Amino acid sequence: MTEDEMRRQLETLRIEHRDLDAAIDTLSENPAAALQVARLKKRKLRLKDQIMFFEDALIPDIIA
């Protein structure tokens, strides 16, 4: 995967992460949607892990 592809994927993941955040906020108001909120939160955590992976790959480690 090239650096440009990784940057595009990272941006896509960030957008999805923000969208999930908005969906969770909306659904949290409805107690009947607790299971769906839990699933969305798990998905959000997986996205965060993927975002961290791509950020780590794109940002070089600088040891001072």
Side-chain angles (χ1 to χ4, degrees):
M1 185 176 273
T2 68
E3 186 175 328
D4 287 338
E5 290 171 331
M6 289 174 67
R7 289 188 189 282
R8 280 191 297 264
Q9 181 66 23
L10 179 59
E11 186 58 30
T12 301
L13 292 170
R14 285 179 176 157
I15 291 168
E16 187 176 351
H17 190 268
R18 281 191 301 262
D19 290 347
L20 279 174
D21 206 21
I24 290 168
D25 286 344
T26 302
L27 288 173
S28 293
E29 297 170 5
N30 180 2
L35 181 59
Q36 189 174 8
V37 169
R39 288 179 179 156
L40 291 177
K41 285 182 177 182
K42 284 182 183 180
R43 173 70 181 144
K44 188 177 166 189
L45 286 173
R46 284 193 301 271
L47 285 173
K48 184 66 173 175
D49 288 343
Q50 291 175 331
I51 288 169
M52 294 300 293
F53 172 80
F54 282 111
E55 286 176 344
D56 288 345
L58 290 170
I59 300 171
D61 289 336
I62 299 173
I63 301 173

